[in-house]
Amino acid sequence: MGEQRDLTTLEYYVLGLISVEPQSGYSIISYFEMDWWRWRGSSSPGSIYPILKRLESQGIIDGELEVVHETRPRKMYTLTPLGEELLDAWLRAPVTKDEAGEERATLMMKFLFAEKRLSSGEILKWLDSYEEATSYYITLLQVNRNPMATGVWSLHQQLILEATLMELNMQRTWIQMARQRLLAFAQNGS
Amino acid sequence: MGEQRDLTTLEYYVLGLISVEPQSGYSIISYFEMDWWRWRGSSSPGSIYPILKRLESQGIIDGELEVVHETRPRKMYTLTPLGEELLDAWLRAPVTKDEAGEERATLMMKFLFAEKRLSSGEILKWLDSYEEATSYYITLLQVNRNPMATGVWSLHQQLILEATLMELNMQRTWIQMARQRLLAFAQNGS
DNA sequence: ATCGTCATGTAACGTGTTACATGATTGT
DNA sequence: ACAATCATGTAACACGTTACATGACGAT
């Protein structure tokens, strides 16, 4: 108990994977190697096994040797109540302005794990905060866009600003689309 | 000289800033604090000063105390020929498939510093490689998109795939726009 | 006189990377 | 018999973060 230090993104990723179903160190590493939706970081044994030890010693996950039948023994980890609490708090946390500007990969990761752990109401609330943070950034950047026309910014700087704005607008469009799909799903389960 | 170790992204960032104009440790830190186009990383004295020492000891940058007039003394760094060579090689390197999927911020940083260091021909070639890498990813993901319809993917997984595709398409659109603007600029300097 | 800014540094720390080591089981 | 895969670990290292320390100069 005592002070609860902040977990790293990688640690939350591990928690998320375990929350979907119990995992061994090896299965977590394999998952990172598939890497279907672009999470940066190779995550070799050198990071995963120490993380599992760390989380276990803090009572966040619980590992026990699988009953050996047909296959080699492996240590399967599940979330403890504390682990569930930490993960859910992290998933529920509203998106801040800073997160909207960077780290889309992390946000998508949250969104992925939220599917099975949060209620649709909570997920919609989270999307709202995401949209708000994104909109905040868009207006902020558009203020900077004016001097852009007057030649304060170089050509490349202008183009980079343009790219950032395009990305933020894309994010907003996606959020709206996601919300509608979630609502449609909730209504007729299609 | 011996083996030339790889520089980190942060080190290249520092090189880029110095290439634009000579910098002191303090001015570099201030630049990071402005942070106008979203580069992740606070970059406090604890990282910048060691980097400057490291780069200087390797003959990549050259620092000398500014002649003191009116203001306090500070160590201003410039690129050595080796430093210019390393920076330019990094800027010129074609975008790989991996970089296209992640790290847009780093690519934009390259694009920023390329403005003053590469010829427009080289920049256009770089954009071509960027587009190729992006297109590669788009086709790769669209293959994965089919099973999506058949219900292998969960709703959230589908949406995340959708977001990734939207981002990649946005990047491609931006690349094409950037190319046209660069060409227009080269022709009539508007 | 004192506060904020300019300016440079260091020391402890945490975390992820790289590389290595081990060994059992399954497939050919 | 041998290679590939499953499975777990550790030790050295590099890098960035946090926090601290120092001090000169300019403004109020």
Side-chain angles (χ1 to χ4, degrees):
Chain A
M1 317 253 149
E3 301 298 303
Q4 184 65 56
R5 74 178 172 90
D6 274 7
L7 301 186
T8 65
T9 312
L10 190 55
E11 286 172 323
Y12 276 118
Y13 200 153
V14 168
L15 281 195
L17 285 178
I18 293 175
S19 83
V20 175
E21 60 179 328
Q23 302 278 347
S24 68
Y26 190 82
S27 68
I28 292 170
I29 292 162
S30 316
Y31 192 91
F32 276 105
E33 269 158 12
M34 302 188 338
D35 199 6
W36 59 283
W37 55 288
R38 300 287 92 208
W39 161 265
R40 72 191 84 243
S42 55
S43 294
S44 31
S47 57
I48 296 305
Y49 288 108
I51 282 178
L52 291 171
K53 276 206 165 171
R54 228 148 59 207
L55 295 177
E56 191 177 22
S57 77
Q58 286 172 96
I60 295 168
I61 59 177
D62 186 52
E64 50 185 297
L65 274 151
E66 207 181 34
V67 235
V68 193
H69 62 83
E70 298 200 29
T71 176
R72 321 165 206 52
R74 47 185 188 164
K75 219 173 184 180
M76 298 301 280
Y77 291 92
T78 47
L79 295 190
T80 65
L82 173 59
E84 296 193 332
E85 206 182 295
L86 286 174
L87 176 62
D88 291 348
W90 184 70
L91 293 177
R92 264 192 289 262
V95 179
T96 65
K97 301 158 221 147
D98 285 337
E99 286 170 314
E102 10 170 348
E103 314 224 53
R104 221 194 76 253
T106 306
L107 292 175
M108 288 300 100
M109 177 184 125
K110 273 198 191 193
F111 185 71
L112 176 63
F113 295 132
E115 183 165 26
K116 286 191 181 158
R117 296 211 56 88
L118 301 191
S119 71
S120 46
E122 284 173 317
I123 293 173
L124 288 170
K125 232 163 57 180
W126 185 82
L127 282 176
D128 288 344
S129 76
Y130 189 7
E131 186 174 14
E132 202 184 331
T134 308
S135 299
Y136 167 86
Y137 249 110
I138 291 174
T139 35
L140 195 93
L141 280 185
Q142 268 164 349
V143 171
N144 281 26
R145 210 191 186 182
N146 263 359
M148 192 172 98
T150 65
V152 177
W153 304 87
S154 77
L155 178 57
H156 280 227
Q157 282 176 322
Q158 287 173 42
L159 284 167
I160 290 168
L161 247 166
E162 217 68 62
T164 313
L165 266 171
M166 281 169 76
E167 157 127 55
L168 289 169
N169 281 316
M170 182 229 95
Q171 270 172 257
R172 192 157 60 176
T173 305
W174 177 83
I175 293 163
Q176 286 155 2
M177 188 190 81
R179 183 159 35 216
Q180 281 175 4
R181 285 246 229 139
L182 288 174
L183 287 171
F185 187 82
Q187 272 161 14
N188 56 8
S190 104
Chain B
M1 315 275 145
E3 301 298 304
Q4 184 64 56
R5 76 178 170 89
D6 274 7
L7 302 185
T8 65
T9 311
L10 189 56
E11 285 172 323
Y12 276 118
Y13 200 152
V14 169
L15 282 195
L17 286 178
I18 293 175
S19 83
V20 175
E21 62 179 327
Q23 302 279 348
S24 68
Y26 189 83
S27 68
I28 291 171
I29 292 162
S30 316
Y31 192 91
F32 276 104
E33 268 159 13
M34 300 187 341
D35 198 6
W36 59 282
W37 55 289
R38 299 285 94 207
W39 161 265
R40 72 191 81 245
S42 55
S43 294
S44 33
S47 58
I48 295 306
Y49 288 108
I51 281 177
L52 291 171
K53 277 205 164 173
R54 226 148 60 204
L55 294 176
E56 191 178 22
S57 77
Q58 286 172 96
I60 294 168
I61 60 176
D62 185 51
E64 50 186 298
L65 274 150
E66 208 181 32
V67 236
V68 194
H69 63 82
E70 299 199 29
T71 174
R72 320 166 206 51
R74 48 183 187 163
K75 218 175 185 179
M76 298 301 279
Y77 291 92
T78 47
L79 294 190
T80 65
L82 173 60
E84 297 193 332
E85 206 182 295
L86 286 174
L87 176 61
D88 291 348
W90 184 70
L91 293 177
R92 264 192 289 263
V95 179
T96 63
K97 299 158 224 150
D98 285 337
E99 286 170 314
E102 12 169 348
E103 315 225 52
R104 220 194 75 252
T106 306
L107 292 176
M108 288 300 101
M109 176 184 127
K110 274 199 192 193
F111 186 71
L112 176 64
F113 294 133
E115 183 164 27
K116 287 191 177 154
R117 296 212 55 88
L118 301 192
S119 70
S120 46
E122 284 174 317
I123 293 174
L124 288 170
K125 232 164 54 182
W126 184 83
L127 282 176
D128 288 343
S129 76
Y130 189 6
E131 187 175 12
E132 202 184 331
T134 309
S135 298
Y136 166 85
Y137 249 109
I138 291 174
T139 34
L140 195 93
L141 280 186
Q142 267 165 348
V143 171
N144 281 26
R145 212 191 186 181
N146 262 0
M148 193 174 98
T150 64
V152 178
W153 302 87
S154 76
L155 178 58
H156 282 228
Q157 281 177 321
Q158 287 173 41
L159 285 166
I160 289 167
L161 247 167
E162 217 67 65
T164 313
L165 266 171
M166 281 169 76
E167 157 129 57
L168 288 170
N169 281 316
M170 182 229 94
Q171 269 173 258
R172 192 156 62 176
T173 305
W174 178 85
I175 294 164
Q176 286 155 3
M177 189 190 81
R179 184 158 37 214
Q180 282 176 3
R181 285 246 231 139
L182 287 175
L183 286 171
F185 186 83
Q187 273 163 12
N188 55 8
S190 106

